[in-house]
Amino acid sequence: MEKEQYLGVSVSPYTYEEIIADLKKRIAAGEQSTVIAVNPEKVITAGRDPLVKELVNNSTYQIPDGVGMIIASKLKKGGIRERVTGVDMMGRLLQFAADEGHGVFFYGAKEDVVRTAKEKLEAKIPNLRVAGYANGYVQDQEALVEQIRESGAALLFVALGSPRQELWIKDNMANLPNVKVFQGVGGSFDVYSGKVKRAPAFYRKFGLEWLYRLLTDPKRIKRQMALPKFLLKILLQK
Ligand code: UDP
């Protein structure tokens, strides 16, 4: 599938539906796929860390997570028109897994968070089969990989924060041949468990999630400086 480039980082200009349709073909062909969320913070990090850049660019789908990516695409006359967020992509993939009868596995976050997320999602999505889960602080990696393999899950969601989760996926995917879809989901289990609240609809509608996060957690200002920095770099590049 086609990609757009932002400061040397690839981004997929596709909607949720287009990605799922393409994934379906790849699963039928027996191929493994990885989904990574790209936001201005990750593009800036990729600029100074070649490993992060490689992890992003070697993924199958780089989803445009955040309003910064939409603005950048408009500035560069690209084709990205809607946000594809990590947390909503995960929701769509879970629905897809339930529809197709694929098992899913959740790895990451604290024990009570991942367990609660699993229970709430099972209650919310009929026919969802959670084949297993593990918290993000388990020590025995070999046993963990064995647990995922034995679960028979075809989709694996990894929530260890970035870029740890992407690195974990890269290092372990060859040992998990039955897993066809890997997504690094950051704080998504925290959201689905109800521990972290998403921005109210008003903020989401106007692409102001960053403002809501800033108001509720002012410490994020440091991370959020990536947004103006990113847009400035995009503008200067023209
Ligand atoms: N986490 C984990 N193991 C670790 C460190 C972090 O499972 O050793 C989890 C943490 O509990 C949280 C998630 O990783 O659920 C990180 O979420 P964050 O919002 O920091 O991710 P981001 O998307 O911002 O990178």
Side-chain angles (χ1 to χ4, degrees):
M1 281 177 109
E2 261 174 69
K3 309 273 170 165
E4 291 181 10
Q5 300 298 319
Y6 295 93
L7 308 175
V9 173
S10 302
V11 184
S12 312
Y14 298 100
T15 60
Y16 298 102
E17 290 79 13
E18 288 166 336
I19 292 174
I20 293 205
D22 192 59
L23 262 177
K24 212 169 156 174
K25 284 191 223 146
R26 290 177 59 93
I27 294 174
E31 286 175 291
Q32 290 182 303
S33 309
T34 52
V35 181
I36 186 167
V38 180
N39 54 33
E41 189 186 3
K42 228 174 254 178
V43 176
I44 295 292
T45 308
R48 52 167 188 264
D49 187 339
L51 174 64
V52 172
K53 191 178 206 165
E54 183 197 314
L55 287 170
V56 177
N57 288 350
N58 287 342
S59 296
T60 315
Y61 308 99
Q62 297 84 358
I63 57 175
D65 188 350
V67 71
M69 304 314 296
I70 310 296
I71 300 172
S73 184
K74 284 198 176 142
L75 289 173
K76 302 251 311 176
K77 312 226 177 312
I80 302 170
R81 285 294 167 265
E82 72 173 47
R83 280 184 311 154
V84 177
T85 68
V87 65
D88 287 329
M89 188 76 235
M90 177 178 165
R92 301 283 186 127
L93 287 171
L94 291 173
Q95 186 59 57
F96 165 74
D99 294 343
E100 303 275 320
H102 296 307
V104 305
F105 196 103
F106 299 145
Y107 166 44
K110 301 211 173 84
E111 180 67 23
D112 63 318
V113 170
V114 63
R115 193 186 348 99
T116 309
K118 167 198 178 290
E119 288 165 1
K120 289 203 171 169
L121 286 164
E122 281 172 333
K124 194 168 118 183
I125 304 175
N127 299 324
L128 177 67
R129 186 163 57 82
V130 181
Y133 71 93
N135 72 62
Y137 302 86
V138 295
Q139 296 301 321
D140 189 343
Q141 287 291 313
E142 240 172 76
L144 170 69
V145 170
E146 195 51 38
Q147 187 195 348
I148 299 171
R149 209 183 343 220
E150 278 178 3
S151 77
L155 289 84
L156 173 61
F157 300 90
V158 186
L160 302 174
S162 246
R164 254 189 80 191
Q165 60 202 21
E166 283 83 18
L167 202 54
W168 189 95
I169 291 170
K170 174 177 174 267
D171 290 343
N172 292 284
M173 60 191 288
N175 291 326
L176 295 167
N178 293 324
V179 178
K180 299 301 182 213
V181 182
F182 298 79
Q183 185 187 356
V185 292
S188 298
F189 297 172
D190 299 82
V191 172
Y192 284 119
S193 74
K195 199 185 131 215
V196 170
K197 294 267 169 289
R198 285 192 80 180
F202 166 83
Y203 292 90
R204 298 222 299 263
K205 185 163 172 214
F206 294 102
L208 295 173
E209 264 165 310
W210 59 272
L211 177 63
Y212 176 79
R213 295 234 178 85
L214 189 62
L215 293 173
T216 51
D217 185 7
K219 281 197 310 294
R220 288 184 71 95
I221 187 74
K222 232 181 124 196
R223 288 177 67 172
Q224 290 195 339
M225 286 313 289
L227 176 61
K229 201 167 161 185
F230 167 71
L231 291 178
L232 194 66
K233 281 190 186 233
I234 293 279
L235 275 172
L236 291 175
Q237 203 197 25
K238 287 211 319 178

